[in-house]
């Protein structure tokens, strides 16, 4: 029998599940079983759990349907558990180093206890100081094992289930299970402490709770807040059956109703969010919003009143004899709840909100005239037939936004499109495409009026997310390096990123976030936490890899100046955060000489170093300034890169890829990575210039082993790029078609990538 059974529900947290499981497997104390609870075979979390199970026999995944909720997942984990003590860990939290050893040592001191409470840390993982809320709850408790009567304030309803270890035999004897519905921790903790006979406390942090940027799901608006009353009624009913003493029933009653009154005092928690009504308006006009406002207000008042009335009845039924309400404003709320005076309670709540509410500062562009102009346009109704596109902060007409725009002209011709570009980049926009220069009066006008806003980076800080507008974040690559708030622990890149709070404020504007593979979905969920919807449709810019013809490839090669019969090798190194400028990292002339006389190199530096010039000479063709990375990839017979995301896009062509990883260890430590590229490469890995030249000279870069590596890589990272990604995006976002009506993804085995040039790469 293992000492601990650690149960980890994973629904909706696949992006962080790996960190949670790794934090357990890295513990110095190893006598445990780890039970991830996943939605079902084939789900993203199941894939993560399966990979951990392959490398460690202590990992034993089980499944529970999403409909069972958190309670069902934990109950499924408990049924599979065999350990002496149960621990619960949310899939986006972690055990701190040494946690299990500390628990084992404490249990050795106290002997068997039914419940061992411990401290936890709430860590905002983008910005802010961590807190330890459990420390106050566990204060003033006896040092050793004790009966609950000796610490009546320790009721179990103020701490989450993952802030304690639970003796499995006690749980079995008491037939404890997590009650269904939301706020299940309240019901579980309250019932468990009512049945416990021997309790102890560990005054050190065991779990680091990573606070979600978007907040707890329990705080979102909705009818699920009625479940809090169900859990309170369950616990109070059980306490009444047991004839709980006044010393214990008083604190239990007050703590439960402190939570109830907190919800009642937050009217936005009870009804659906008013923004949901705004989004239903078909054209975004003010009259529709006002009608929705009135309808929402009526529903809101009804929901709040029903919650209050039921809470009032519950309060009167279970109020302990001789109970005296607390002092201050909370005591007034207690008295109004006991009297059932909803009108007075609502008035008090409104008065408090009026006093506490400060005028929110709306983000606005700099410059008085620009602010006034933008504010004027924000007062006008949205244009339901206007879409704005921007790529790489306005560097030109490119990437996913350009591909979506081109498809929208065919499928949604009624939508007028405006592309945003920096001053001086107007020449990058095709002649028949409307554009606005960033910072101009027209720029702020279209941003204020457009219903659809499409970007592969982020719009300016001053752009306001209007109710009814639709923001689509397309991203511009599959992540190998850390992104978003994951960068916060890497000092070099964090210093260059700026405020993570501001970054996440921009994320809050997103309605949709595009993903090209399941790996990206998990990383975006972790790096850019928000309430947006993931669109696993593929990257529209990669459609061309399945639609281009041999004539297209020949034309592009001729435009780039690639001599006929030559092998064109694309060299595309990524940006180094610890470098101050572009450094090729490789002597390209020497490489050409060593690799073979028919090899030419297409040099494409990171777009940070695109200054519009050409650095060409000999067998080196500089394509950094070429506007389309897709064209460059189509022209290349093979790719050499280090850690650039271009490898994921190029893999769609099923052509040879070689990884030149001369500084992998430095890059991994300074920037951080999402997976081990050297363990799962798309082809051969070279660590020195000699090794790189040799794989081309002997042909191993394109042999059967290289093809096998590439096939595994494509299966993992080319899941959705089938040539129809742009169509799926346009139909879903611009035309509002339901997901079931969209073109299905063509299986990888059935796709036909664009053909390579006639020049053969194979050498005997």
């Amino acid at each position: 029998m293992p000492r601990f059974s650690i149960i980890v529900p994973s629904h909706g947290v696949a992006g962080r599940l790996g960190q949670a499981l790794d934090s357990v497997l890295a513990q110095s104390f190893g006598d445990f079983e780890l039970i991830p609870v996943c939605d079902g075979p084939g789900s993203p979390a199941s894939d993560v759990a399966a990979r951990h199970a392959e490398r460690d026999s202590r990992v034993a995944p089980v499944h529970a349907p999403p409909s069972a909720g958190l309670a069902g997942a934990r109950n499924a984990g408990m049924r599979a558990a065999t350990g002496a003590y149960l621990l619960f860990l949310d899939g986006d939290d972690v055990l701190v180093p040494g946690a299990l050893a500390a628990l084992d040592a404490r249990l050795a001191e106290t002997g068997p206890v039914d419940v061992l409470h411990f401290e936890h840390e709430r860590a905002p993982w983008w910005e802010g100081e961590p807190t330890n809320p459990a420390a106050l709850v566990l204060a003033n408790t006896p040092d050793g094992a004790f009966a609950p009567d000796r610490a009546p304030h320790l009721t179990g309803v103020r701490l989450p289930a993952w802030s304690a270890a639970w003796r499995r035999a006690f749980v079995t004897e008491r037939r404890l299970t997590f009650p269904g519905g939301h706020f299940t921790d309240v019901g579980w903790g309250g019932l468990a402490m009512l049945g416990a006979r021997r309790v102890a406390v560990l005054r050190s942090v065991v779990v680091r709770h990573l606070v979600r940027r978007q907040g707890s799901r329990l705080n979102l608006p909705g009818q699920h807040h009625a479940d809090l009353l169900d859990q309170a009624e369950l616990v109070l009913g059980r306490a009444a059956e047991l004839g709980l003493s006044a010393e214990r029933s008083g604190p239990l009653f007050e703590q439960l109703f402190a939570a109830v009154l907190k919800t009642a005092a937050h009217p936005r928690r009870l009804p659906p969010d008013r923004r949901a009504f705004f989004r239903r308006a078909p054209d975004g006009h003010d009259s529709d919003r006002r009608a929705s406002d009135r309808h929402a207000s009526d529903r809101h008042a009804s929901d709040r009143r029903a919650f209050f009335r039921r809470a009032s009845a519950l309060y009167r039924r279970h109020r302990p004899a001789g109970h005296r309400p607390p002092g201050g404003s909370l005591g007034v709320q207690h008295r109004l709840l006991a009297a059932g005076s909803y009108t007075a309670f609502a008035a008090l709540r409104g008065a408090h909100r009026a006093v506490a509410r400060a005028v929110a500062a709306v983000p606005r562009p700099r410059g008085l005239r620009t602010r006034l102009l933008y504010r004027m346009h924000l007062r006008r109704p949205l244009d339901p037939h206007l879409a704005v596109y921007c790529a790489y902060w306005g560097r030109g007409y490119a990437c996913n936004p350009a591909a979506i725009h081109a498809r929208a002209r065919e499928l949604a011709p009624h939508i007028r499109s405006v592309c945003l570009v920096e001053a001086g980049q107007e020449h990058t926009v095709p002649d028949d495409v409307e554009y606005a220069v960033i910072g101009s009066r027209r720029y702020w006008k279209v941003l204020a009026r457009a219903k659809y806003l499409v970007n592969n980076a982020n719009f300016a800080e001053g752009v306001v997310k209007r109710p009814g507008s639709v923001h689509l974040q397309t991203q511009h690559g599959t992540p190998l390096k850390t992104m978003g708030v994951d960068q916060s622990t890497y000092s070099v890149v964090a210093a260059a990123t700026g405020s993570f709070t501001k970054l996440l404020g921009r994320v809050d504007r997103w309605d949709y976030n595009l993903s090209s593979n399941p790996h990206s979905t998990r990383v975006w969920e972790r790096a850019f936490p928000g309430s947006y919807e993931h669109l696993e449709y593929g990257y529209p810019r990669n459609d061309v890899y399945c639609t281009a013809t041999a004539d297209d490839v020949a034309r592009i090669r001729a435009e780039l100046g690639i001599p006929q019969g030559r092998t064109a090798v694309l060299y595309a190194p990524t940006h180094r955060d610890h470098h101050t400028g572009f450094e090729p990292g490789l002597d390209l002339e020497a490489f050409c000489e060593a690799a073979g006389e028919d090899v030419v190199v297409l040099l494409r530096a990171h777009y940070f170093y695109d200054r519009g010039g050409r650095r060409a000479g000999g067998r080196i063709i500089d394509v950094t300034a070429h506007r389309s990375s897709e064209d460059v990839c189509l022209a290349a017979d093979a790719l050499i890169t280090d850690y650039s995301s271009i490898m994921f896009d190029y893999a769609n062509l099923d052509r040879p890829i070689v990884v030149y990883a001369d500084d992998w260890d430095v890059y991994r430590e300074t920037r951080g990575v999402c997976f081990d590229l050297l363990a799962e490469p798309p082809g051969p890995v070279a660590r020195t210039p000699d090794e790189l030249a040799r794989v081309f000279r002997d042909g191993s870069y394109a042999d059967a082993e290289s093809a096998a590596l590439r096939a595994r890589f494509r299966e993992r990272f080319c899941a959705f790029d089938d040539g129809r990604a742009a169509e799926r995006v346009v139909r879903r976002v611009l035309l509002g078609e339901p997901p079931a009506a969209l073109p299905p993804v063509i299986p990888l085995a059935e796709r036909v990538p664009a053909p390579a040039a006639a020049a053969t790469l194979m050498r005997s």
Side-chain angles (χ1 to χ4, degrees):
M1 177 191 300
R3 182 66 153 163
F4 301 107
S5 292
I6 305 167
I7 298 165
V8 188
S10 63
H11 179 68
V13 293
R16 290 193 174 271
L17 179 60
Q19 292 183 352
L21 302 183
D22 289 341
S23 74
V24 178
L25 296 177
Q27 293 289 312
S28 57
F29 183 90
D31 186 14
F32 62 81
E33 61 180 357
L34 178 56
I35 307 174
V37 186
C38 308
D39 292 347
S43 66
S46 289
D47 294 341
V48 174
R51 286 197 294 271
H52 282 75
E54 288 174 2
R55 72 171 192 253
D56 197 310
S57 60
R58 294 172 297 180
V59 182
V62 299
H63 298 107
S67 58
L70 178 61
R74 286 175 173 169
N75 290 335
M78 287 197 295
R79 289 192 294 270
T82 62
Y85 283 87
L86 302 174
L87 290 173
F88 301 99
L89 185 69
D90 281 358
D92 50 358
D93 295 342
V94 296
L95 288 184
V96 302
L100 296 185
L103 286 173
D104 179 68
R106 181 58 173 159
L107 289 169
E109 294 172 358
T110 63
V113 293
D114 297 331
V115 184
L116 174 62
H117 291 286
F118 49 73
E119 296 177 2
H120 64 269
E121 183 178 81
R122 290 174 55 86
W125 36 263
W126 60 99
E127 284 180 358
E129 295 297 323
T131 60
N132 184 348
L136 292 176
V137 179
L138 302 181
N140 302 319
T141 54
D143 291 334
F146 57 89
D149 289 342
R150 296 182 60 195
H153 68 283
L154 201 57
T155 65
V157 302
R158 295 172 63 190
L159 291 174
W162 42 260
S163 195
W166 315 84
R167 188 166 63 90
R168 189 168 64 87
F170 156 71
V171 170
T172 302
E173 292 164 3
R174 298 291 178 179
R175 298 182 180 178
L176 291 173
T177 59
F178 282 88
H182 296 80
F183 302 95
T184 186
D185 284 17
V186 172
W188 165 271
L191 293 175
M193 285 302 292
L194 288 174
R197 293 293 177 265
R198 231 171 156 261
V199 181
V201 166
L202 171 62
R203 293 186 180 87
S204 63
V205 172
V206 171
V207 171
R208 180 169 294 116
H209 174 60
L210 303 176
V211 180
R212 294 168 177 264
R213 170 62 180 90
Q214 58 271 44
S216 169
R217 294 190 184 101
L218 297 181
N219 292 335
L220 295 176
Q223 300 301 323
H224 63 275
H225 286 282
D227 291 356
L228 176 59
L229 300 179
D230 294 338
Q231 304 291 354
E233 188 166 18
L234 180 66
V235 174
L236 291 171
R238 180 61 178 155
E241 293 174 3
L242 295 174
L244 203 64
S245 66
E247 289 77 10
R248 292 187 63 188
S249 63
L252 177 63
F253 180 84
E254 289 194 1
Q255 290 175 23
L256 285 170
F257 276 95
V260 169
L261 285 168
K262 184 176 180 181
T263 294
H266 272 273
R268 292 182 182 177
R269 291 185 181 182
L270 296 173
D273 193 331
R274 284 171 48 178
R275 286 175 294 179
F277 291 92
F278 292 159
R279 290 178 185 169
R280 293 188 190 114
D283 57 5
H285 286 276
D286 291 340
S287 59
D288 297 310
R289 292 200 298 272
R290 286 194 294 268
S292 295
D293 239 349
R294 289 193 297 271
H295 178 60
S297 179
D298 293 341
R299 288 192 56 188
H300 294 188
S302 176
D303 293 338
R304 299 167 196 165
R305 190 182 298 274
F307 182 92
F308 185 88
R309 285 177 174 173
R310 185 182 166 201
S312 177
L314 188 65
Y315 186 99
R316 291 192 296 269
R317 185 162 65 250
H318 290 284
R319 178 172 47 187
H323 175 261
R324 298 181 63 183
S329 175
L330 182 60
V332 175
Q333 294 179 53
H334 270 260
R335 291 181 175 87
L336 293 176
L337 188 64
S341 303
Y342 175 74
T343 302
F345 182 87
L348 177 66
R349 180 186 60 210
H352 285 169
R353 286 170 58 82
V355 172
R357 185 169 53 239
V359 177
V362 178
R364 285 179 172 84
R366 294 181 179 179
L368 178 59
R369 293 180 62 185
T370 303
R371 284 202 302 271
L372 293 175
L373 175 69
Y374 187 46
R375 290 181 64 181
M376 178 187 73
H377 288 302
L378 286 173
R379 293 177 182 274
R380 300 177 63 190
L382 287 174
D383 184 340
H385 303 305
L386 177 60
V388 170
Y389 297 85
C390 189
Y392 299 115
W393 303 276
R395 289 182 62 251
Y397 184 79
C399 195
N400 291 319
I404 295 170
H405 168 262
R407 199 75 174 105
R409 298 176 79 178
E410 302 173 19
L411 298 176
H414 63 286
I415 295 180
R416 171 180 162 232
S417 300
V418 178
C419 295
L420 307 180
V421 293
E422 290 180 320
Q425 296 297 319
E426 297 92 336
H427 65 282
T428 68
V429 183
D431 293 339
D432 59 344
V433 174
E434 190 177 349
Y435 68 86
V437 175
I438 292 177
S440 67
R441 293 169 63 90
R442 188 159 181 268
Y443 164 80
W444 289 110
K445 177 182 178 180
V446 296
L447 280 177
R449 299 290 310 283
K451 179 177 178 65
Y452 305 101
L453 295 97
V454 181
N455 206 327
N456 74 348
N458 260 311
F459 288 100
E461 194 74 35
V463 174
V464 174
K465 174 67 167 75
R466 295 187 64 179
S469 66
V470 177
H471 284 237
L472 168 63
Q473 167 60 249
T474 73
Q475 302 293 348
H476 53 268
T478 292
L480 165 61
K481 59 192 176 186
T482 55
M483 303 293 290
V485 295
D486 283 350
Q487 302 171 36
S488 60
T489 56
Y490 295 90
S491 57
V492 173
V493 66
T497 300
S499 169
F500 288 102
T501 296
K502 290 183 177 179
L503 166 66
L504 292 169
R506 296 189 289 271
V507 170
D508 286 342
R509 299 188 298 219
W510 302 354
D511 293 288
Y512 299 104
N513 183 41
L514 197 57
S515 179
S516 59
N517 47 61
H519 161 80
S520 294
T521 304
R522 292 193 291 270
V523 173
W524 301 146
E525 176 187 307
R526 184 175 68 238
F528 302 113
S531 57
Y532 53 81
E533 178 183 341
H534 288 288
L535 300 182
E536 291 186 316
Y537 292 172
Y539 278 164
R541 71 181 185 191
N542 291 343
D543 286 353
V544 69
Y545 297 140
C546 292
T547 60
T549 65
D551 289 342
D552 294 324
V553 173
R555 172 183 53 79
I556 297 168
R557 286 172 68 93
E559 291 174 356
L560 295 178
I562 301 172
Q564 290 189 0
R566 294 296 184 94
T567 298
V569 177
L570 173 59
Y571 176 55
T574 193
H575 168 65
R576 302 294 199 279
D577 296 281
H578 54 287
H579 290 173
T580 57
F582 175 65
E583 300 177 18
L586 182 66
D587 186 333
L588 297 179
E589 291 287 356
F591 166 76
C592 288
E593 291 297 326
E597 61 183 14
D598 65 337
V599 171
V600 297
V601 170
L602 307 178
L603 169 62
R604 189 168 182 83
H606 192 276
Y607 60 81
F608 283 179
Y609 309 109
D610 174 14
R611 297 295 179 263
R614 294 177 64 88
R615 299 179 291 273
R619 292 157 65 181
I620 313 302
I621 303 174
D622 190 340
V623 295
T624 301
H626 194 280
R627 305 310 305 177
S628 171
S629 63
E630 295 78 50
D631 281 0
V632 172
C633 287
L634 285 168
D637 299 300
L639 169 68
I640 300 173
T641 188
D642 40 23
Y643 326 117
S644 170
S645 65
I646 199 171
M647 74 178 77
F648 303 97
D649 306 311
Y650 192 82
N652 285 287
L653 290 168
D654 198 17
R655 301 178 191 175
I657 303 174
V658 178
V659 175
Y660 180 52
D662 61 325
D663 62 346
W664 169 251
D665 295 331
V666 174
Y667 187 84
R668 182 175 55 187
E669 291 300 319
T670 56
R671 178 59 199 246
V673 295
C674 304
F675 70 96
D676 188 349
L677 176 64
L678 303 197
E680 303 175 84
V685 176
R687 302 298 294 265
T688 67
D690 289 342
E691 290 179 6
L692 182 63
R694 184 165 58 250
V695 299
F696 278 87
R697 196 166 52 245
D698 64 17
S700 58
Y701 75 101
D703 62 12
E705 183 178 351
S706 173
L709 290 172
R710 189 167 66 253
R712 289 194 291 270
F713 190 84
R714 294 181 73 231
E715 184 177 357
R716 181 177 180 186
F717 295 110
C718 299
F720 309 129
D721 288 332
D722 64 348
R724 303 191 70 178
E727 179 180 353
R728 283 189 284 269
V729 171
V730 172
R731 292 189 182 280
R732 178 75 175 91
V733 178
L734 301 185
L735 298 179
E737 295 183 8
L742 305 182
V745 175
I746 300 171
L748 192 63
E750 298 177 15
R751 301 175 203 169
V752 180
T760 180
L761 299 177
M762 295 300 295
R763 300 173 186 271
S764 60

